[in-house]
Each structure stands twice: as structure tokens, then as C-alpha cells.
Amino acid sequence: MKWNKSDMSTYIKAKEYIDTVIVPVIPFQTSKDEELIKDAHAQEVMTFFVHHLEKELSGRIMLAPSYVYLKSSELDEEIKRINAWVDDIQSQPFQHIFFITYDPKWKKYEKEMKGNLLWLPALQSEEIDVTEPRGIIREQVNQVVELIRSFW
Amino acid sequence: MSDKKHQVTRRQFLNYTLTGVGGFMAAGLLVSPIRMAIDPVLKESSSGDLVNVGISVDEITDVPQRVDWTVEQVDGWYKSEPSRSAWVYKDENGEIVALSPICTHLGCVVSWEGSEEHPNRFYCPCHDGLYEKDGTNVPGTPPLTPLAVYEQEVRDGILFLGNPIDRKGA
Ligand code: FES
């Protein structure tokens, strides 16, 4: 389910079945021309990716709104903010929290993170068509579905 | 004096206002047929049409296989291309069956023989929901109704699917 009105009214009634939260973690910047296209594309691919992931497992996971941070900001600070999200999420009976990102910088902070970090290698290809349900993203979705299921 | 003048003004004001509203309503009536033609809000969603899902009848066997496709959906001004999926197979009479993969419990995607412990059934990974091959929910597992069945049609040997139709509980 998603963090929207109708899904949350289902959530309130079926809490015991929804034990997993997915948070997409997305860097944002507009200051560097050289990276602008790449970063914006990564954001698009991530949004598409989690949309399909949510569809596969929507009865047991809640897709949170994306955690967006300035690409240049210090992760020492961001880790505190992101952990505050975890504290809030844990006030509900969720068992598993996954942060999904293409930004490898988080890898260093994995230990301090109060949720599971899923770092995915960025799909660099400009070919990725975010309207196409098949193909490479589908593969990645299937693999992450398997991974999440292994935690259940 | 000034009081009377005020009243007249007010009556005039009301008059103008009401005429104004009436005028608008009349204009609305006149405009509406044109509006119907151009305003997508008033058109039916196009998702009800049957679409080619990219599989020919010969490719369909008695083993359910998953097909994915996109439909162009127009809800009002908002145009989107949601993807859809179905499990497609031929039953013992050779009839094509196209089931929605959406678990009727809380909406996860089920797969044919998705669990090794449950051969010959659709399995929902979220809370171990089970369905028979024809989509009937297995009692004692969380889903209370069968998988929905797609409207279907075969045109020139190609499978076309429409909307999934919900079924009543077993
Ligand atoms: S969503 Fe399928 S069993 Fe709960």
C-alpha cells in the first residue's frame, strides 16, 4: 500500500498484516549541470522501481514517501534525520524497514542506520524506458521481492 | 430618502444577480453538448476496451503463464499508462482462462506454484494465501473470494483482455 488516504484507511483496519515499510532514499540537486540529467533520471527510475515493487507486495508493505536530501549534504546529519523517521515508523507494529537507494554514500552509514539498507547499483543505461513494465527493472524488482521475502 | 434609494438598489442588485445566475445556467445548457465532446472528464474511461496483450492463442498452454501489458487510461485530464498482468492458460476443455494476479486479501501479486510446498496452486507470498488453478480461494487461507477473471476475446488468433471481473466467495 501507499501512504495515501484510501490505503491508510485499509491500513488502520488491517495493521497486523502490514509489517514492512519501504522508504526510497533520493538525492536532489540542481547546481551541477554535469550531473543534472543523471541524477534526475536516477530519481525517475527509483520512483518507477518502487512503484512496481509496491504493486507486487502491496498487501504486506507500505511504501512511504521518498526521503529526499540535498546531494551535497553531510550524511552525518542525514543519518539522524533518517533515524527519526524510523522512530516514528516504529510507533506502529512494523517489523521490517527497508531504505532503498542508488546512492553508494549510504553504504558507509549502514551500521548506524536503524533500518535495512538496500543499495542497488544504479542502472546507468539511458535506454531505460520507465513506461515499460518488462525488461531490466522488472528483473531488479523480482530480485528485491525475493530479498524482502527472505526477511519475512 | 436615502433609505428608499438603498432598497431599490438592493432589489436591483438581487435582480441582476438572479438574472446573472439564470444566464449562466442557460449558457451552461447550451455549452454542455460541446463540452461533452471535448472535455475528457465527461468521457468514459478508455480502460474498458479490450487490448492486445501480446500473446497468441497457440502460445497458451495448460500451464498458467504471466502476461504483462499496459493500458492507456484517461481519468479526466489525467492520462496514465498503468501496467496490468494476468495468468493465462487453457483449461481441460481447451477454453482460455485469464485470471487477475491480484490477491483478493490485501492485493499482493500471486504466482502459479509460487511456493514449492503448494504445487498446482496460485500462491500469495504476503500471507500464504492459496487459490486453485481456476482461481477459487482455498478455505483456511486469508483470501475470502476467488481471483478476478478478465473479460476476454480472441481476434485473429491473438488474445485480447479487458477489465477484471470480481467473483463471489466460495
Ligand atoms: S495479500 Fe495475499 S494473502 Fe494477504
Side-chain angles (χ1 to χ4, degrees):
Chain A
M1 48 191 56
K2 293 185 167 164
W3 196 68
N4 61 30
K5 185 179 166 193
S6 76
D7 286 358
M8 287 308 98
S9 38
T10 310
Y11 173 72
I12 299 277
K13 285 178 254 141
K15 280 187 191 183
E16 68 274 31
Y17 290 107
I18 299 106
D19 66 353
T20 302
V21 178
I22 308 279
V23 186
V25 177
I26 297 175
F28 167 73
Q29 65 92 7
T30 60
S31 49
K32 294 203 182 85
D33 277 12
E34 330 75 83
E35 289 169 14
L36 203 47
I37 295 172
K38 182 172 75 75
D39 290 343
H41 187 239
Q43 179 274 134
E44 231 178 315
V45 174
M46 175 59 78
T47 308
F48 179 74
F49 175 81
V50 293
H51 170 80
H52 284 277
L53 181 65
E54 188 274 336
K55 271 179 88 173
E56 290 295 313
L57 301 173
S58 58
R60 187 157 171 183
I61 68 178
M62 183 182 112
L63 175 62
S66 303
Y67 180 90
V68 181
Y69 55 101
L70 206 55
K71 202 179 175 192
S72 57
S73 69
E74 291 299 328
L75 291 197
D76 288 326
E77 289 304 313
E78 294 298 337
I79 192 82
K80 290 180 204 147
R81 227 183 103 212
I82 214 167
N83 279 339
W85 280 42
V86 178
D87 295 340
D88 186 83
I89 290 166
Q90 280 175 339
S91 63
Q92 292 288 355
F94 291 114
Q95 301 290 320
H96 311 281
I97 301 171
F98 294 95
F99 292 102
I100 304 190
T101 188
Y102 287 129
D103 183 352
K105 279 194 294 173
W106 286 99
K107 204 66 193 145
K108 243 177 77 192
Y109 292 84
E110 195 171 5
K111 292 234 166 56
E112 291 164 58
M113 209 175 228
K114 293 200 218 158
N116 302 300
L117 177 69
L118 290 186
W119 171 72
L120 305 176
L123 299 167
Q124 288 301 355
S125 155
E126 297 297 318
E127 313 285 73
I128 294 169
D129 177 1
V130 292
T131 57
E132 178 60 51
R134 284 161 278 241
I136 182 150
I137 300 226
R138 179 95 260 157
E139 263 317 296
Q140 214 173 44
V141 167
N142 291 344
Q143 285 170 15
V144 173
V145 164
E146 283 313 308
L147 187 95
I148 292 173
R149 283 180 60 188
S150 73
F151 280 76
W152 288 349
Chain B
M1 180 70 188
S2 78
D3 217 39
K4 202 178 176 191
K5 198 178 171 189
H6 192 139
Q7 271 184 4
V8 170
T9 315
R10 189 186 290 154
R11 190 177 304 134
Q12 272 179 340
F13 171 76
L14 265 175
N15 241 326
Y16 285 142
T17 315
L18 290 176
T19 319
V21 171
F24 270 121
M25 281 161 76
L29 287 174
L30 286 175
V31 163
S32 59
I34 305 159
R35 208 170 114 87
M36 291 277 242
I38 55 164
D39 192 341
V41 177
L42 302 169
K43 273 197 214 154
E44 270 184 59
S45 159
S46 57
S47 65
D49 302 338
L50 297 170
V51 293
N52 180 341
V53 298
I55 189 169
S56 71
V57 172
D58 331 325
E59 291 171 282
I60 302 172
T61 66
D62 60 347
V63 181
Q65 52 183 308
R66 180 168 165 171
V67 291
D68 298 287
W69 71 98
T70 49
V71 288
E72 191 169 288
Q73 190 172 310
V74 182
D75 283 323
W77 296 106
Y78 180 70
K79 198 165 139 194
S80 63
E81 290 198 353
S83 60
R84 292 200 169 175
S85 310
W87 286 98
V88 177
Y89 65 94
K90 284 185 185 139
D91 69 12
E92 56 278 16
N93 305 319
E95 302 284 341
I96 295 169
V97 180
L99 297 174
S100 160
I102 309 296
C103 182
T104 58
H105 177 224
L106 286 171
C108 293
V109 174
V110 304
S111 19
W112 176 245
E113 305 199 321
S115 156
E116 280 163 23
E117 288 136 60
H118 304 285
N120 256 305
R121 281 177 165 172
F122 289 101
Y123 173 74
C124 177
C126 287
H127 318 101
D128 299 322
L130 289 171
Y131 301 86
E132 305 292 357
K133 190 175 180 181
D134 66 2
T136 312
N137 52 300
V138 173
T141 69
L144 299 175
T145 53
L147 295 172
V149 183
Y150 277 101
E151 302 170 316
Q152 53 152 295
E153 205 176 291
V154 172
R155 294 181 200 157
D156 300 324
I158 306 286
L159 181 64
F160 282 69
L161 298 179
N163 283 322
I165 310 291
D166 292 338
R167 293 187 284 175
K168 283 258 152 50

